[in-house]
Structures are given as C-alpha cells and as structure tokens.
Amino acid sequence: MHPTAQQVRGAFMAPVPFSDAQCEAVFRIDCHVPDQVEAAYNLPALYGRGITGKGQTIVVVDAFGSPTIADDLLPFDQNLGLGTPPLRVVEVGHVPTFDSGNPDMIGWASETTLDVEYAHAGAPAAKIVLVEVAKEDLLHLALAVRYAVQHKLGNVISLSWGEPEQALGRQFVSSYSSIFSRAASSHITIVASSGDSGASGQDNNGNFYRHPVASWLATSPFVTAIGGTKLNLNASGARNGPDAAWNDTYSAAVNEFFFGNDGPNPLATGGAKSAYYGRPGYQNSVRNVTGNQRGIPDISMSASCSVAVNVFETFTGGQGGWTASCGTSESAPMFAAIVALADQVAGHPLGPVNPALYALAASHAPGIVAVASGNNTVSFSGGTVHGYSVRHGYNLVTGLGTVNGRYLVPELARSA
C-alpha cells in the first residue's frame, strides 16, 4: 500500500517557491504556486465574496502523518498570504516515532504535506483534521476512515491512496464497502484519488498489471473519484489553452526528475471500470462508456508532474524548504476544498455529490469544463497497458471533465 503523491527524487529544496522559469531552467518541468492554481479554477472570485470554507472542516487520512506538518503550514501560509487554519491531529492507534531513514515514512510525510497544504490552499478558512494511522496497510487506513465517519470529524474527507481492486480481492472490498455507504447516510462527502499508474496498477508483488484495473476505494459508488489533468497556464494563472489529461509516462524529463531514469514509468491519471461494483444510477447517462460497471474517475483537477506544485516541508531535517510534488494526491484535496466551499454556500453538508455532478454535466452547466485531449495508456519494463482516451463527454481518463469553481461551487450548493 503506497500513497499516490509523487515527489522529486533527491529532495531538491529551495528557500522560496520555485518559479516556472526556475523549474524549466533547472529541472525541465514547470512549477506552480497555489495562487496560480486557484486562479486557474476561478476561485478568487469566490474568495472575494467571503466563500473561503469558513465553518467547514476537511478531514485528511494518511498513514504515519508528518511530524512537522503544523510547523510547515506556517511558512506555507506566510509566503502565499493564506490564513493559517486550525489544524487538529488525531492519531488512530499508536503512531510510531518518525524515522527519517524509513522510506515509507518519508513517502507518507510527503503525502501528508501535499494533502494538508492543498486542501488548505483551496479552502483557506476551512479547518483541517489530519487523521494519522499507525500502520500503512489498506485495512488500517480503511478503519481510520470508519473512525472519522463514526466520530463525524468533518463533512468532507479527502483520501489520496488506494490499491487495485484485484490486488485486494472481492471479499475485502465487499467487507469494507459499508464504511462509505455509512458516510453517505451521515451526509459526509468522500473524495479519493483515482491513482497515478494510468490504466494499470501494482499487484501484491509490486508488478504492474498488464490489463486495465481500477483503484479501490475510488471505485466505491459512494466516493467521488478524482482524476488528474495537466494545466496550461501563464504566470498569473490564466489558461493559455484547455487542460489535457495527465500522462507523463513517456516524458524523459519527468522520468529523470522523479525516477532518475529515462523511463517509461507508469505516471498518469488512473481510470478504468470496476471489477466488483455495478454501474450506479447516476452513471446511467454514461452507460455507453461504462457499460454495466462503475467507471472512474468522476471528475479531474491538476495533477501533472510536468506541471508540479510547490509544497513546503521540513520533516527530512535541517532547514527544509520548498520542493515540488504532484499526482492525484494533489487533485483529491483540491476537489475536497471545492466541496467545502459548496458546503459553506449551501449552509449544510452536501454528502455524496456524484448525482449532482452527473446531472450538472448532462445539463451542460458551466461549472464542469471539458478536457481537450489525452489518454492513460502506460508502459513499463516489459509491457504496455492500453488505457482509454479523452472523448467528448464522460470518459475513463478525466471523467466528466474539470472544474470552473466560480460556477461549480454555487451549482453544487443549489443541486444539493
């Protein structure tokens, strides 16, 4: 079980956020700050009207957490002009002491940092509850989600991890599906990353599947599965062109930056048909794509590693600093922030938002924006998994499309 955040190899750090020009010159990738990303989704128009997530709480669930997350939020906020949210940390089980020599703990600390900072960046006045889990297997993570639901820690839960359904087995998936139906009955919205291995994913031996697989828990009909796009922005956050699906599998620059080799390595937005869940009613309008199965993702936001985002972290020791991160671990907390903003507008928790999203898409509401192109085909040593392509309307790469928050937030609030 691994988090879906992708972090730069070698922990390149800077005392101030990387600019696009600096990233392009040094690393051959772009780097955005939250201001640019917020502008891309027209969120400042909401902030100017006081729609900032005030009174709402976003819950983030991660294994181990980060020992410095509270301290890291301060310079993140100070540099970017955000108000520091009340951050509450809840431990489920006895979380072991952070070991900077443990690569699993390093990975989860990176995950935690990206999750918390970008949930906060999207909904700057929302409270954040970080649930730290004592073990990193999917069983303990799922039980921690159940804890968050039972104790109503917040009305929006953001999850940036998962595993192919086939790696877990039908019995496991069935046994823990009630967690998400219970969340729905409690009017809690759960969003989850669709995965970072394109149409593939790893089995229990770490080998990539050679046929399309979908990631659980994103496949649950009660979960909003969030895929990834590649933004095309200028320095102010205005779009130079429409978004594309995120797929960096074949980018030599990105593979060298993140993996230290030319690739290809699977690095693309997850999306496929569920092996275990049938098509939910809200996907009846897209049955020509999903058939009789649940399809993911539902909607997408920024995740590309060739257009990474700045995060601030110090858990590796020393002064720490700004570095780059990416993946659907970026898009999931950002969409959780969108829901928190909509909860504020509605004046009550929205609960499951998928029925509203599909209804809005069917009515061509302006809050859902088409993605122009791309696919989630991936390759690795010894094989290629042919995935799906972006097409008009719903597809198994970016779902219904991406977000114009200025419109989608009030649309969701009204639909609920």
Side-chain angles (χ1 to χ4, degrees), residues 79-141:
N79 188 282
L80 302 170
L82 302 171
T84 303
L87 173 67
R88 176 187 173 198
V89 178
V90 176
E91 291 190 4
V92 176
H94 179 66
V95 177
T97 302
F98 183 75
D99 178 2
S100 60
N102 183 323
D104 289 336
M105 286 189 167
I106 291 288
W108 281 103
S110 297
E111 173 67 65
T112 300
T113 303
L114 179 58
D115 287 343
V116 170
E117 290 183 353
Y118 276 80
H120 171 45
K127 299 177 182 177
I128 306 289
V129 174
L130 170 63
V131 178
E132 297 181 341
V133 184
K135 296 184 179 180
E136 63 176 328
D137 60 90
L138 202 57
L139 169 61
H140 285 84
L141 285 161

Side-chain angles (χ1 to χ4, degrees), residues 144-200:
V145 177
R146 185 172 71 181
Y147 178 94
V149 170
Q150 289 176 334
H151 292 81
K152 202 69 181 293
L153 297 183
N155 294 326
V156 187
I157 300 178
S158 179
L159 309 173
S160 295
W161 35 265
E163 197 164 343
E165 292 175 320
Q166 290 88 334
L168 297 168
R170 186 181 297 272
Q171 182 176 354
F172 181 96
V173 170
S174 176
S175 297
Y176 295 96
S177 290
S178 62
I179 295 171
F180 307 105
S181 59
R182 179 177 297 182
S185 64
S186 299
H187 306 289
I188 296 171
T189 307
I190 296 185
V191 305
S193 301
S194 67
D196 287 2
S197 299
S200 186

Side-chain angles (χ1 to χ4, degrees), residues 43 46-47 49-59 122-123 125-127 152-158 183-184 186-191 224 333-354 356-357 405 407-416:
L43 297 182
L46 299 173
Y47 302 154
R49 294 160 44 199
I51 303 170
T52 57
K54 185 177 181 180
Q56 310 306 312
T57 300
I58 300 172
V59 180
K127 299 177 182 177
K152 202 69 181 293
L153 297 183
N155 294 326
V156 187
I157 300 178
S158 179
S186 299
H187 306 289
I188 296 171
T189 307
I190 296 185
V191 305
T224 302
M334 288 173 59
F335 192 79
I338 294 288
V339 177
L341 299 177
D343 282 352
Q344 180 190 353
V345 173
H348 58 81
L350 301 182
V353 297
N354 285 353
L357 289 174
Y407 299 110
L408 184 59
V409 165
E411 288 166 357
L412 279 177
R414 286 194 299 268
S415 296

